[in-house]
Amino acid sequence: MPGLMSRASTIVKAKFSKLLDRAEDPTETLDYSYEQQLQSLQNVKRGVADVVTAKKRLEMQTQQLEQSVVKLETQARQALGAGREDLARQALERKSAVQQQLQGLDQQVQQLEAQQEKLVSSEKQLQAKIEAFRSQKEVIKAQYSAAEAQVRIGEAATGIGEQMADTGLAIQRAKDKTEQMQARASAIDELTTSGALEDFTSDQTQLDRELAQLSSQSQVDDELTKMKAELGAGGEKKELEQ
Amino acid sequence: MIARLLGGDGQFRVGDDVVEALNELDAQGAQAVEAGDEENLHRVLGLMAKTVRERGEPLADDDLSPSDLIIPPDDLSLEEAKELFSGDGLIPDLPVG
């Protein structure tokens, strides 16, 4: 089995050998290649923007899931307060399932954050190299014979092509990661509303309804107690007056 | 020699002793892939990246020199490593106009 380094080199070089094949008229190739680099840089910028947007959406989704954990906790407390331990247990079980899933997601968001930072630095490197190529191509055009120019173009284009492949890989990986996480967040989201936890499926609303009933019931109970107390106090007064 | 750490770290100039160390680690990395040992693969790739960062001299961003050694990202998954060895080879095609 060949090593990882030699395999990575082979693949990276194979990806941009097509670019070098076009070097027939050096001057033309230089300008053409530069145009192509600028176009590729635009693609890279778009790719980076896409990843940033997807990551933001994912962070929002994670926040929503965190809120649902808080909500389930409150519901469990209410249920227990009303002496409904069965409902409290259901809410806490669901909360723990969501929490477990969220933990993995948090780690992934951190990984994505690191990948994104590297992606931005890779974009910066590509931009710097393209600018260097632009000034070098003018020097090559002005100072070198066709044969020498060919060699120099080959080197410069190899350096750029390698960077393009590197940045392209970074974008691809960040996109894949974002998509995986998006799928995972949606799966957890389903967990809180319907889906995997079959027992909860039908009673997500049922649970809500029962808890709402409980809380309105306890409100009624409270008011009744208060009224009884008032009436009781009034009655005593009357008795005293008599 | 010039080594590139794929995934955003860029290029470094490294001495022969570093190249030797990298070649040794590289062999271990290939073994880890073959054995399906992702933990070991990450350890090895991490060490390779660390070796290059600590013992190499970073190249300026606007340097156009091609690399002699290209090292995969240190968080490469086993699945990605296998992809690297298969037909299309992990790295997306460059847009050729």
Side-chain angles (χ1 to χ4, degrees):
Chain A
M1 191 170 191
L4 290 159
M5 288 195 297
S6 71
R7 188 60 193 160
S9 288
T10 308
I11 299 290
V12 166
K13 293 199 167 102
K15 293 290 170 182
F16 61 80
S17 65
K18 285 179 205 156
L19 292 175
L20 298 182
D21 285 347
R22 292 172 178 268
E24 281 164 21
D25 171 12
T27 310
E28 209 179 286
T29 309
L30 281 168
D31 292 329
Y32 169 75
S33 179
Y34 179 63
E35 288 305 315
Q36 213 173 37
Q37 287 162 22
L38 288 180
Q39 215 179 323
S40 159
L41 186 63
Q42 285 313 309
N43 288 341
V44 165
K45 283 184 188 296
R46 251 198 310 276
V48 175
D50 285 349
V51 169
V52 171
T53 309
K55 200 193 111 209
K56 276 191 189 142
R57 208 166 32 219
L58 201 64
E59 278 170 346
M60 266 166 57
Q61 235 169 322
T62 313
Q63 276 169 12
Q64 277 169 5
L65 288 170
E66 274 158 3
Q67 279 167 14
S68 82
V69 167
V70 175
K71 188 188 160 201
L72 285 165
E73 160 111 37
T74 311
Q75 288 184 328
R77 224 176 272 283
Q78 284 174 353
L80 204 60
R84 289 291 307 272
E85 203 180 319
D86 58 328
L87 283 182
R89 184 173 296 277
Q90 273 189 28
L92 286 179
E93 275 168 1
R94 197 179 306 168
K95 182 191 137 194
S96 135
V98 173
Q99 254 174 338
Q100 267 175 25
Q101 298 289 324
L102 260 175
Q103 225 165 32
L105 202 62
D106 274 350
Q107 280 168 6
Q108 285 189 311
V109 170
Q110 277 168 17
Q111 280 174 18
L112 186 62
E113 184 78 49
Q115 256 182 9
Q116 196 186 308
E117 268 170 37
K118 289 190 168 186
L119 182 55
V120 171
S121 110
S122 193
E123 181 197 332
K124 212 183 90 209
Q125 287 161 20
L126 181 60
Q127 183 140 22
K129 281 183 169 47
I130 291 175
E131 267 160 37
F133 184 90
R134 185 173 60 101
S135 50
Q136 255 198 39
K137 85 181 167 81
E138 296 312 317
V139 175
I140 293 172
K141 273 196 217 168
Q143 293 186 357
Y144 293 94
S145 69
E148 277 175 319
Q150 195 85 357
V151 174
R152 284 174 184 271
I153 293 163
E155 279 176 10
T158 304
I160 296 260
E162 197 183 294
Q163 185 64 47
M164 281 195 210
D166 191 351
T167 312
L169 176 65
I171 291 178
Q172 189 61 55
R173 296 185 87 222
K175 272 193 176 165
D176 287 350
K177 178 121 231 152
T178 319
E179 274 167 29
Q180 277 169 22
M181 290 168 64
Q182 209 84 59
R184 182 158 184 192
S186 304
I188 304 174
D189 204 21
E190 252 175 65
L191 193 72
T192 66
T193 52
S194 66
L197 294 175
E198 211 72 71
D199 293 350
F200 297 150
T201 309
S202 51
D203 59 25
Q204 160 71 39
T205 46
Q206 181 72 20
L207 181 63
D208 281 338
R209 203 162 37 234
E210 283 197 49
L211 284 167
Q213 254 172 17
L214 272 180
S215 99
S216 77
Q217 214 173 342
S218 78
Q219 205 183 333
V220 171
D221 285 347
D222 281 353
E223 280 190 62
L224 272 175
T225 314
K226 217 163 121 191
M227 281 178 186
K228 275 184 195 161
E230 277 170 14
L231 281 173
E236 271 173 42
K237 235 181 187 174
K238 256 183 198 167
E239 274 171 17
L240 279 175
E241 274 171 5
Q242 275 177 350
Chain B
M1 280 200 178
I2 295 172
R4 171 181 289 274
L5 294 177
L6 284 179
D9 285 290
Q11 296 169 290
F12 297 78
R13 196 173 296 281
V14 294
D16 289 347
D17 52 330
V18 175
V19 174
E20 206 176 305
L22 287 174
N23 279 326
E24 268 170 40
L25 286 166
D26 194 35
Q28 289 179 34
Q31 274 170 15
V33 174
E34 216 160 358
D37 187 346
E38 189 164 82
E39 206 177 308
N40 202 24
L41 176 68
H42 285 167
R43 186 187 64 84
V44 171
L45 287 172
L47 273 175
M48 288 172 97
K50 190 169 175 252
T51 305
V52 171
R53 272 189 223 114
E54 284 178 1
R55 292 163 66 185
E57 194 67 41
L59 245 60
D61 281 356
D62 63 358
D63 197 312
L64 293 175
S65 313
S67 307
D68 303 292
L69 303 169
I70 296 183
I71 299 162
D74 57 7
D75 60 344
L76 192 79
S77 70
L78 206 54
E79 206 177 311
E80 286 176 316
K82 282 179 185 151
E83 227 177 291
L84 188 66
F85 285 99
S86 75
D88 252 3
L90 186 67
I91 292 157
D93 280 328
L94 299 174
V96 177

